[in-house]
Amino acid sequence: MTPAPSHGPLGVRPISAVEHLDFIRTRSSVSFLQTPAWAQVKNEWRGESVGWFDGETLVGAALVLYRQLPRLKRFLAYLPEGPDIDWLDEDLGAWLTPLAAHLKQQGAFGIRMGPPVVTRRWHAATIKQAIADPVLTTLSDVPADASDDAALAVAGRLAALGWKEQSAAGGFSAGQPKYNFQVPLADKDEATVLAGMNQQWRRNIKKADKAGVEVTTGTRADLAEFHRVYAETAERDHFTPRPLSYFERMWDALGAEEPDRMVLYLARHEGDLVAATTMVRVGEHAWYSYGASTTAKRDVRGSNAVQWQMMRDALAAGATTYDMRGITETLDPDDSHVGLIQFKVGTGGEAVEHLGEWDLPLNRVLYLGFTQYMRRRG
């Protein structure tokens, strides 16, 4: 028998950015993609903050981004790494049914969301062993070190409510990655975090220090210098860089919400910028969001130095998780993506699997047309 929910019928309605932010401040961890400021960063979408109310009490919140269909006043409603609700409530429909009703009223033909629910975890040592094993080619082939049955049960509830999981090739999708790499910081100090790293990471941190690499935090004016190195990294690693204006918008929007929400780090060697990164923090969760390094002077290990400084600052700020963001699930040594996993595994953290992104079609014809259009573009 399903236990009775611990709340009355829930209502969903728009809330102000101030109300939304006040709610986020009471939470230990909410994705920065779910902050009101993120709507200003993603300015090609229309943003709306919505709240779940039990009577007059705000009990859940979300940032919804609306993307308009060409030539039609209909929208895809997207909740990146959200919403922030009680995902383990056995009556999940009590939360998601009023959300769907509200979004349909706003003209949404479909909803896409990324439940912030971690289902499985793999320790660094497990991944290292798996990469060396020729039989194991993907992370999902490897028995997890920890599985959360309550979190895994959420997938069944979503499917029963008509939601469809979006398959992501290799763990990446057009939206947010299903697999992330995190360094747990709770109840740890700098010495413990450093001791958890592999020998190469510790050696590289020491090498950078000995070579005289200096890591400082930058201002908005330094974003142009960061972007120069980021563009070089994009060319070297074959990805399309975001324009400088995107980072300036991110700086302005996130900084207006909380002064230390986004921090820019610059690693210099003898005056030359060798690595630069951005860190974003909401409550007890800190994310390494963007990184860049020069081809020149790679031997001074600026990338390791800047990561170590970010981890130390995250610890000092009271963060319990340092999140290195997405990884693909490949463990094939011949796959170019495996180098990124090996770099992150060296920190001694863990790979975490989320539930992935899920869609609810509200207008089947428009939703089908949209998914076919996206498939052609992909």
Side-chain angles (χ1 to χ4, degrees):
M1 202 171 92
T2 306
S6 57
H7 52 75
L10 298 174
V12 170
R13 61 176 186 263
I15 55 174
S16 69
V18 172
E19 285 175 289
H20 191 177
L21 199 52
D22 283 347
F23 183 75
I24 286 170
R25 287 182 180 132
T26 68
R27 314 287 281 164
S28 61
S29 175
V30 175
S31 171
F32 66 94
L33 306 181
Q34 278 293 299
T35 60
W38 199 248
Q40 293 161 50
V41 181
K42 306 303 281 186
N43 62 357
E44 71 277 25
W45 301 65
R46 175 169 69 84
E48 179 188 46
S49 288
V50 299
W52 279 258
F53 289 85
D54 181 4
E56 289 304 306
T57 309
L58 183 62
V59 291
L63 174 70
V64 184
L65 299 173
Y66 294 97
R67 188 68 179 262
Q68 191 171 340
L69 279 177
R71 299 185 299 278
L72 281 176
K73 199 119 175 80
R74 302 304 292 273
F75 307 87
L76 174 72
Y78 182 38
L79 292 76
E81 296 183 3
D84 177 24
I85 59 174
D86 179 4
W87 281 101
L88 300 185
D89 187 338
E90 290 191 15
D91 185 9
L92 203 49
W95 298 85
L96 298 180
T97 304
L99 172 70
H102 171 74
L103 299 181
K104 194 170 187 174
Q105 217 173 16
Q106 297 299 304
F109 65 84
I111 311 168
R112 178 165 295 173
M113 65 177 181
V117 177
V118 172
T119 51
R120 298 187 291 172
R121 298 174 185 271
W122 293 263
H123 300 154
T126 304
I127 302 167
K128 191 183 169 190
Q129 274 183 319
I131 292 170
D133 187 333
V135 177
L136 302 169
T137 56
T138 67
L139 201 51
S140 44
D141 294 336
V142 184
D145 291 299
S147 288
D148 187 330
D149 291 339
L152 287 161
V154 176
R157 289 190 197 118
L158 286 171
L161 290 166
W163 291 79
K164 297 170 169 30
E165 187 181 359
Q166 298 307 293
S167 62
F172 274 127
S173 64
Q176 302 310 315
K178 182 170 182 170
Y179 297 95
N180 284 278
F181 200 86
Q182 299 177 350
V183 181
L185 301 177
D187 306 319
K188 291 183 180 177
D189 57 15
E190 284 184 20
T192 321
V193 175
L194 196 58
M197 293 182 182
N198 71 12
Q199 204 177 350
Q200 191 181 0
W201 258 82
R202 291 198 301 271
R203 199 185 294 132
N204 287 347
I205 289 167
K206 204 175 277 184
K207 192 174 181 181
D209 189 42
K210 215 170 173 180
V213 172
E214 289 185 337
V215 180
T216 57
T217 56
T219 64
R220 189 186 194 276
D222 295 309
L223 286 171
E225 210 180 350
F226 155 79
H227 194 265
R228 180 178 54 78
V229 179
Y230 165 74
E232 181 191 324
T233 306
E235 197 174 337
R236 185 180 66 234
D237 295 348
H238 312 293
F239 65 85
T240 306
R242 292 189 180 279
L244 174 59
S245 59
Y246 179 85
F247 295 99
E248 289 173 338
R249 209 159 58 237
M250 204 171 153
W251 181 274
D252 294 343
L254 295 176
E257 213 166 68
E258 300 284 0
D260 58 350
R261 176 80 89 220
M262 178 180 173
V263 183
L264 172 66
Y265 288 83
L266 306 160
R268 289 192 173 90
H269 178 256
E270 295 172 346
D272 298 322
L273 186 62
V274 291
T277 51
T278 58
M279 184 169 84
V280 179
R281 187 171 60 81
V282 181
E284 295 173 12
H285 204 120
W287 292 265
Y288 155 48
S289 58
Y290 285 94
S293 62
T294 58
T295 305
K297 295 192 170 184
R298 292 196 94 163
D299 57 326
V300 300
R301 305 300 177 191
S303 291
N304 298 91
V306 78
Q307 288 288 345
W308 176 226
Q309 189 58 53
M310 287 199 293
M311 284 182 213
R312 291 167 70 191
D313 288 357
L315 260 175
T320 55
T321 301
Y322 178 74
D323 198 320
M324 300 183 84
R325 301 293 284 160
I327 53 172
T328 60
E329 65 162 340
T330 183
L331 299 175
D332 180 355
D334 298 326
D335 189 314
S336 60
H337 290 111
V338 92
L340 180 66
I341 296 170
Q342 286 169 319
F343 176 74
K344 293 180 181 183
V345 161
T347 61
E350 57 190 21
V352 301
E353 176 191 56
H354 289 85
L355 271 179
E357 294 201 318
W358 292 71
D359 281 12
L360 182 70
L362 298 174
N363 176 316
R364 293 199 176 275
V365 175
L366 288 179
Y367 176 79
L368 189 65
F370 165 77
T371 49
Q372 285 172 343
Y373 166 72
M374 291 305 284
R375 216 167 278 142
R376 282 199 303 273
R377 283 186 62 192

